Amino acid sequence: MVKKLQTVRSCTVVSPTNLALIKYWGKRDASKLNLPLNSSVSVTLDTNDLRTTTTAYLMDSKPEVDCDRLWVNGKEVSIGETPRTKIVMEEIRRASGETRTFYVVSVNSFPTAAGLASSAAGYAAMVFALAKLCGIDADARRTDLSRIARMGSGSASRSMFGGVVAWNMGVRPDGEDSLAEQICDVRHFREDELHAVICVASDTKKHVSSTSGMSTSVATSLLLKHRADTIVPARFEEMKTAVRAKDFDTIFTLTMRDSNQFHACCLDTYPPIFYMTDVSRAVVRLVEQLNEKPFAPRFAYTFDAGPNAVIFCRTGSDARELLEVLLEVFPPSAADVRSDGGFEFVRGRSRRSRAEARGEAVSGLQKSTISLDARRAHEGEISYFFHTGVGQGVRIVEEEGCALDLPSQV
Amino acid sequence: MVKKLQTVRSCTVVSPTNLALIKYWGKRDASKLNLPLNSSVSVTLDTNDLRTTTTAYLMDSKPEVDCDRLWVNGKEVSIGETPRTKIVMEEIRRASGETRTFYVVSVNSFPTAAGLASSAAGYAAMVFALAKLCGIDADARRTDLSRIARMGSGSASRSMFGGVVAWNMGVRPDGEDSLAEQICDVRHFREDELHAVICVASDTKKHVSSTSGMSTSVATSLLLKHRADTIVPARFEEMKTAVRAKDFDTIFTLTMRDSNQFHACCLDTYPPIFYMTDVSRAVVRLVEQLNEKPFAPRFAYTFDAGPNAVIFCRTGSDARELLEVLLEVFPPSAADVRSDGGFEFVRGRSRRSRAEARGEAVSGLQKSTISLDARRAHEGEISYFFHTGVGQGVRIVEEEGCALDLPSQV
C-alpha cells in the first residue's frame, strides 16, 4: 500500500537534447561523481523540434519517508533501479535543504529508443525542475546545476545551456570543476544558420549501452587513452575557438574527424563495439559526395552510440537541399507507405509523410545532384528524419496548461 | 614491332600468400625503398590451397634493350605502368650482374581481386624466380631477397619464409635493416595445428587500395601515429614470444585486437576508410559467440584491406566445426545454387559445392551450436570459403611440366 500524498506545488520545464561535436567517451570516475576522461563540446538542439517536458511535484510527505516516484512516457520507472535518479534527487535535497517527497513526470517528444540522447534531455529537465521546485534560482545557477545533471548523465550537463556548450572535464577528484559552460548562445547564429538533419536508421538491433561500452573501452582500448590524454585537449581548444569565430570549415571538419575517432576507439575496444552500420557508411559517403572539398565541407556528419547519422548544415537552405537528396537515396519503401501513408517521415522543420516523401523520390522532379545509380539505393533503410537546428537550454515554462498531470491512479 | 627474343633458360617457383597477425599499415618512406611505419608478423599459408606459380625466363636480348615483359593470369601487364615491378627487376640485375631481358609469367590459384594478398605472393614469386634465374643462391639468401621483395610489395617480404614470419621495420634510412626473419618454421606446429578459414564476401564494391589508404592514414590519423610509435613495438615482441611458446591464448587475442586496431586507424583516417562491412561484423559476432572466453579464444578473426574475414583455428577439427557453423549462417542462396550447383563453395582442405553446402545448411543435420534465429541469417553474403593452414615459404619447383609457358604469340 502506497500512502496517498498531497501536492504542495509543481514546476514544469522543457529541456533540449544536445549533439556532441567533440565526443564524450569514457569515464575517469564511474562512481556517483560520473567524471569524464575528456572534455567535450555540443550543440543544443531546438526544443520546438525535439524536447523533454518534465513536471516536478513537491509532495507533503514526512521527511523520513523515502518514496520519490518517477514516470517517463506514461510508465513508472523504479527509482531503486535507476540509481542515478536517486543521486540527482539527493543532490538537489542537499543543495536546497528540502526534505519532502518528489514526484516527477516526464515525456519525450521523440522516441526514447531512437538513440537521440534522451537521457541528456531527461536528466537536465529533472535537475532544473527539481531545483526550481526547491527554491533554487535555477536560471542563475546553471553552471552549478550542470554538476548535478552530470551525476545523472554526463551529457545532461551540456543541456543546461543553449547554443554551443563545453563540458570541461575538470581535474579535481571531487568533480567540483567538471562543469558545463556556454561557448556561445543561440543568438551567435543567424536564424537560418546551423541546421541539423537527423537520420534515424531502421536498424532495430540492440546496441551496447554507452555506460557499458565506455567501461569496456576504458579498460581495453589503448587508442582511447591516447585520444583522451593527448588528442582531445588540443581539439577541445581548437573547437571552442572555431565556434567563437564561426569558422565552419574547422567546426565541420573537426566534428567529422572527432566522430570517426570516437568510433575508431569503439572498434579498438576488446571485444570491439560497432555502432556504425552499412547504412551509417552510406550516409558518410553521400555527405562526402556532396561536400566535394573535405576540408571546407558544407555538411558534417556525426554519429553517437548507434547507427543514426546527424548531419549539420551551415544554413537552412543547405538542410533543405540535403533532405531532397536524402529522400532520393533513402526513401521509404512502397510497403512502408502502404502500411501507414500518414507516418511522419520528415519531422521538425520540413514535415513530410511517407507517401509524400516516396512521391518525391519516385517522381524524380528534383534537380538531382547525385548519380542515377545512387537513387533509391537505400530504400527503407532510414525510418524517419528530423530537421532541426540550434536552440536554447532547459527552461521553465509558466504558460497555463503546460504542466504534465500526475498519473490518475496516484 | 616487338623484337622476337629466344629463351636462354627459365626458373619456376610456387609462392604462398600470408596473413598478418600484427598488421602492416602505413609507410615511413613510400619511395622505391617502401619502408613501413611499424614491424609486422604473419602466418604463411599452405601453397597446396592458395598459391602463385611463376616462371621467369631469361631472354637473349642485348643489354641496352629495355623490354622486360610480364603476364599475370594470362594477361600482359605493362611494366611501365607497374613501377614496383621495374624496381624489383633492377634490384635483381644489380645483385646478380645479369643484363639480359626478363619475361615473367605468373598465375594465381585464387581470384586476384578477392583481397587475398595476391601482391604478396606475386612479388615474392617474382623475386625468388628471377634471383635463381640469375644465379643467386635464393634458398640461402631469403633474408636478403626479402629486402628486394619489400620494394615490390611490403607484405611480399614475409612470403620469403614459411611458418610464422616477422618483418622488422628497421631504422636505417636506406632500408638495409627492413627485412623479414622467420620466427618459427612450419614444423613448429603439428600437422593438424593452426588452420585458417577464409570467408570471401560477396561484396563487389571497389575498395580503397592499400597504397592510397596507407598514404591518407599516415597523413591524417593521429591514432595511427600513436599505434606505430608506441603500441606496435610492444605488441610485436609480445607476439613473437607467444608464437615461439605456442601460447594460442595470446596469439589469438592479440591477432583480433590488432586487426581491430588497424581498422580503427582506417576509421580515424580523414576522409575515413571503411573496409569492414555488416558481413564482416556478422563474422566477428559469430566468432565471439563460439569463443565464449574472449581472452582464451578457440578462434581468431582478422581482416585485411577489404571485408573478407580470415578465421584462425587452433586445430583442423576446430576448423571443420567452424565451417559447419559458417555454412549454417552464411549458406549460398537457393538462386546461387540453381545458377551453378557445381561452383566450389568451400575450397582447399574441405571441399564442398554450393549445392552440397546449401543441402547441409538446410537439412540442419548438424548438432548446431548456434541459436536458431542465426541460422541462414546471412544467406548469400559469403561468395565462398577457403580452408587452409600454415605452410612453407616461396620455393623452386623442379618437377617436369610445372613451368608456365610463354604466351603463344611471343
Side-chain angles (χ1 to χ4, degrees), chain B residues 195-240:
Chain B
H195 281 221
V197 173
I198 305 172
C199 312
V200 180
S202 301
D203 178 313
T204 54
K205 281 188 225 97
K206 183 94 186 143
H207 301 288
V208 176
S209 79
S210 301
T211 303
S212 104
M214 283 186 196
S215 148
T216 316
S217 288
V218 170
T220 62
S221 172
L222 296 170
L223 297 183
L224 178 64
K225 185 173 160 38
H226 180 66
R227 162 178 165 74
D229 289 350
T230 307
I231 300 175
V232 175
R235 275 193 180 171
F236 181 63
E237 295 306 322
E238 196 186 353
M239 183 60 93
K240 287 195 292 184

Side-chain angles (χ1 to χ4, degrees), chain B residues 3-30:
Chain B
K3 182 171 154 256
K4 192 104 179 171
L5 305 180
Q6 298 301 312
T7 298
V8 177
R9 60 177 179 268
S10 75
C11 172
T12 300
V13 304
V14 294
S15 174
T17 185
N18 65 74
L19 292 170
L21 306 180
I22 300 291
K23 300 294 186 190
Y24 155 47
W25 193 253
K27 304 182 186 207
R28 70 174 192 276
D29 181 343

Side-chain angles (χ1 to χ4, degrees), chain B residues 373-384:
Chain B
D373 63 339
R375 292 190 197 173
R376 298 172 59 189
H378 296 276
E379 194 175 284
E381 295 181 4
I382 297 288
S383 176
Y384 56 90

